[in-house]
Amino acid sequence: MAGLDSRSQQLYRRAREVIPGGVNSPVRSYSRYPLFVASAKGSKFKTVDGQEYLDYCMAYGALIDGHAQAEVIDAVEEALEKGSIYGQPTEMEVELAELIASLMPSIQMVRLVNSGTEATMHAIRLARAFSGKKKVLKFEGGFHGSHDSVLVKAGSGATLLGSPSSEGVPSDVAKNTLVSRFNDEKIAGKVIRDHSSELAAVIVEPVLGNIGPVLPKPGFLETLRKITLENEVLLIFDEVITGFRLSIGGAQEYYKIRPDLTILGKVLGGGLPISAFGGRRDVMEKLAPIGPVYQAGTYSGNPVSVSASLAILQSLKKRAGQLYSRLEKMGDVMRRGIGDHLESARITAQVNGVGSMFQLFFTDRPVTDYHSAKSADIRTYEEYFHSLLASRVFVPPSQFETCFLSTAHSEDELDATLDAIGTAVKTLPR
Ligand SMILES: Cc1ncc(COP(=O)(O)O)c(C=O)c1O
């Protein structure tokens, strides 16, 4: 019955023959088939079937000014005309590094790479080399890309040693990653102290974004900073989501904590692939060619991505005064509006978020860490997702992802979305 299928369904069938699962990143796979996108502008995307959706996924947080932002397009077009890659340094790279350092004072030196995965991988290697220690500590529910050292979950029983969260990750590698509980400063403190002689770094998303948004409890990040300093363990803030999103200086500015190293990505690229890791000069100077830590990349600092990054950061910097408070207000409107709808539909759920990040969790437990997030009912979320989809509102298909606002979302669109959410929650099982 191919004739009755939508173009998305037809493409999905073709894709599954030649692309594992039909998608190039597993989050894009959901029931019954992913929407295939033809174009996007501002707050909306259009599918290959010509239907328009209001987008609250925003490429998993990469877009803060919406799709196809004019300043980024102009910058990329101008850069492309001059050649897409040289394999030589450019003036733009220097400007971008200076700009990043000026926006995030903890970053004295920065290295550009192409993805968040690459950045955390290299930052961890760098931390190991700098400290001469080999273990790292991450938190349950924290996501730092898809390389071996971070595809690790808590081990069984009382052990804190990580075990692989993906086949193909050697347990010999995973055991060098310790896993602790987000928002539990007592356990984290004890792990850091007990393992300080072998612990190179603590890597943390200051706001967890990859199990839905989970905020740090007051004092949690401060304690991490204090105990890592006392024990000569590097503190790495993975700000791939929060960098330039929570504020122009990221979560470190928002929560007033100075990490040793920072990972940037997503918003940094204005929609193009670029990522970065940077921080203390004495640590960053360990990188090749001036130091013994090897790290390299053909496409690193390519002029197309760098031009997009410069365009978005310069533009955000100019507007930062109003932009972040406006996004925070929009986030409040969504969080409050969703809460009101849940209450009037008598649905028990939690609404989490900060700034332009939000999500609801179908659970009666406050969501403060991985375990409370995982208590959410994913079947109910799936119904909610499909109900919104029917209203042409696209939120992340997984309960354990974050919804993102952009400056391109209008007040009317937020109102219409809240109406759609009201309708969706009314039909959910109580
Ligand atoms: C906090 C965090 N770190 C690292 C990554 C990996 O970044 P990338 O997908 O660019 O490899 C992600 C991706 O979602 C992320 O959210």
Side-chain angles (χ1 to χ4, degrees):
M1 297 277 282
L4 296 179
D5 284 349
S6 65
R7 279 275 293 147
S8 279
Q9 281 170 295
Q10 291 166 21
L11 284 170
Y12 185 45
R13 221 177 0 254
R14 268 172 64 194
R16 275 181 304 170
E17 292 300 315
V18 285
I19 302 172
V23 291
N24 279 310
S25 194
V27 285
R28 297 176 204 164
S29 171
Y30 50 88
S31 97
R32 293 181 291 128
Y33 57 89
L35 296 172
F36 279 66
V37 174
S39 64
K41 180 87 193 147
S43 59
K44 294 185 179 140
F45 65 80
K46 200 185 249 180
T47 68
V48 288
D49 292 290
Q51 293 161 340
E52 239 179 19
Y53 288 79
L54 253 173
D55 186 8
Y56 291 91
C57 190
M58 286 286 131
Y60 290 90
L63 303 167
I64 198 168
D65 274 332
H67 295 277
Q69 194 210 5
E71 280 158 304
V72 172
I73 293 177
D74 290 348
V76 165
E77 277 177 359
E78 202 186 317
L80 263 174
E81 296 266 321
K82 298 181 195 157
S84 57
I85 184 160
Y86 313 127
Q88 312 286 342
T90 63
E91 184 170 346
M92 271 196 295
E93 286 167 85
V94 187
E95 269 181 55
L96 179 57
E98 287 169 349
L99 182 55
I100 292 172
S102 75
L103 296 175
M104 290 195 177
S106 75
I107 300 183
Q108 293 170 323
M109 296 187 108
V110 60
R111 176 72 42 101
L112 302 177
V113 292
N114 305 288
S115 71
T117 291
E118 246 186 277
T120 63
M121 183 176 77
H122 291 130
I124 287 172
R125 181 183 306 148
L126 178 62
R128 285 180 165 142
F130 178 80
S131 63
K133 303 188 265 186
K134 68 177 177 191
K135 289 201 187 328
V136 292
L137 172 70
K138 73 180 277 277
F139 292 91
E140 284 177 294
F143 179 71
H144 306 290
S146 48
H147 58 91
D148 290 0
S149 289
V150 290
L151 281 183
V152 172
K153 58 181 193 272
S156 57
T159 169
L160 286 159
L161 296 188
S163 66
S165 63
S166 160
E167 287 198 17
V169 174
S171 45
D172 275 355
V173 174
K175 74 175 190 222
N176 285 315
T177 303
L178 307 174
V179 184
S180 190
R181 276 200 170 183
F182 192 74
N183 270 335
D184 191 329
E185 56 196 66
K186 270 207 191 125
I187 297 189
K190 181 166 164 31
V191 180
I192 296 167
R193 277 190 216 101
D194 289 355
H195 294 268
S196 62
S197 64
E198 50 181 2
L199 193 59
V202 171
I203 183 163
V204 63
E205 285 180 80
V207 175
L208 295 184
N210 288 281
I211 48 167
V214 175
L215 274 60
K217 284 185 181 161
F220 177 67
L221 297 173
E222 289 79 355
T223 304
L224 287 187
R225 178 64 288 186
K226 183 168 173 287
I227 299 177
T228 47
L229 272 176
E230 284 166 3
N231 290 277
E232 294 186 12
V233 172
L234 293 173
L235 180 62
I236 307 176
F237 266 15
D238 183 345
E239 295 227 40
V240 165
I241 288 180
T242 52
F244 314 113
R245 177 167 283 281
L246 268 198
S247 75
I248 190 73
Q252 52 197 274
E253 179 179 271
Y254 196 87
Y255 293 111
K256 301 190 177 58
I257 311 275
R258 191 182 173 102
D260 299 299
L261 293 176
T262 298
I263 315 294
L264 298 168
K266 300 210 184 212
V267 172
L268 171 72
L272 271 87
I274 186 168
S275 199
F277 63 104
R280 272 168 49 183
R281 182 178 303 281
D282 57 339
V283 181
M284 293 300 289
E285 279 182 342
K286 294 279 178 225
L287 281 177
I290 48 171
V293 181
Y294 195 68
Q295 183 279 328
T298 301
Y299 287 96
S300 295
N302 75 79
V304 181
S305 293
V306 170
S307 68
S309 188
L310 265 178
I312 186 85
L313 292 194
Q314 279 163 347
S315 167
L316 290 176
K317 185 180 170 184
K318 253 187 258 153
R319 292 175 293 142
Q322 283 98 52
L323 181 143
Y324 291 98
S325 51
R326 186 174 147 230
L327 283 174
E328 179 103 47
K329 275 194 201 116
M330 290 164 68
D332 286 341
V333 166
M334 292 309 287
R335 289 183 285 270
R336 215 174 306 119
I338 295 170
D340 290 348
H341 281 306
L342 288 167
E343 203 180 311
S344 51
R346 283 181 286 114
I347 301 276
T348 307
Q350 313 296 320
V351 185
N352 272 25
V354 60
S356 55
M357 301 162 69
F358 67 95
Q359 181 59 296
L360 77 175
F361 294 84
F362 293 103
T363 173
D364 56 1
R365 291 170 60 182
V367 174
T368 57
D369 61 8
Y370 174 76
H371 294 278
S372 43
K374 282 287 178 178
S375 71
D377 180 354
I378 53 175
R379 289 239 173 83
T380 306
Y381 186 85
E382 204 177 312
E383 272 185 50
Y384 166 79
F385 166 74
H386 280 288
S387 175
L388 288 187
L389 213 55
S391 304
R392 301 282 164 82
V393 171
F394 187 79
V395 293
S398 163
Q399 165 73 90
F400 306 112
E401 294 287 350
T402 295
C403 299
F404 293 100
L405 292 162
S406 77
T407 57
H409 290 91
S410 69
E411 267 177 43
D412 286 350
E413 287 171 344
L414 299 193
D415 286 346
T417 303
L418 283 172
D419 286 347
I421 290 174
T423 308
V425 297
K426 254 187 237 149
T427 60
L428 295 175
R430 237 141 279 177

